[in-house]
């Protein structure tokens, strides 16, 4: 494992995008490996997918802090904007 990757992730929000988030995704592959690396670096990982078939509990055990599926008549870009509002810090008031 490349420790440099973990040091680069510290303080970041990892956003994973996949077509389908299912039981295969949590067992192996890019989603599982990236989520585990983010967990080891103690940074949140969120997942955006056209279809989410994995429950919150299973995702949390993998290191996924939140998973979001497309809503009816929503584009991937719109979903990204919706999720960004959830995970972005509120604006500072002066």
């Amino acid at each position: 494992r490349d420790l440099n990757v973990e040091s680069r992730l510290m303080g970041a929000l990892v956003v994973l995008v996949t077509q389908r988030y299912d039981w295969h995704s949590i067992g192996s592959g890019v989603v599982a490996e990236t989520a585990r690396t983010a967990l080891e670096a103690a940074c949140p990982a969120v997942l955006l997918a056209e279809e989410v078939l994995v429950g919150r509990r299973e995702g949390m055990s993998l290191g996924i802090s939140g998973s979001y599926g497309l809503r009816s008549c929503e584009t991937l870009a719109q979903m990204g904007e919706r999720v960004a509002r959830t995970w972005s810090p509120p604006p500072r008031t002066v």
Side-chain angles (χ1 to χ4, degrees), residues 1 3 5-6 24 30 33-34 36 40-41 45 49 51 67 77 80 89-90:
R1 181 177 298 265
L3 295 177
V5 171
E6 289 177 21
H24 178 71
V30 174
E33 188 64 30
T34 305
R36 286 185 191 104
E40 291 170 7
E51 188 175 20
S67 58

Side-chain angles (χ1 to χ4, degrees), residues 16-32 47-54 62 64 67-70 76 79:
L16 299 158
V17 181
T18 187
Q19 185 173 18
R20 185 177 168 117
Y21 180 43
D22 57 14
W23 296 103
H24 178 71
S25 304
I26 64 172
S28 63
V30 174
V31 170
L47 187 130
L48 311 180
E50 289 181 23
E51 188 175 20
V52 175
L53 301 172
V54 175
L62 180 65
I64 301 292
S67 58
Y68 303 86
L70 280 177
L76 187 60
M79 178 176 55

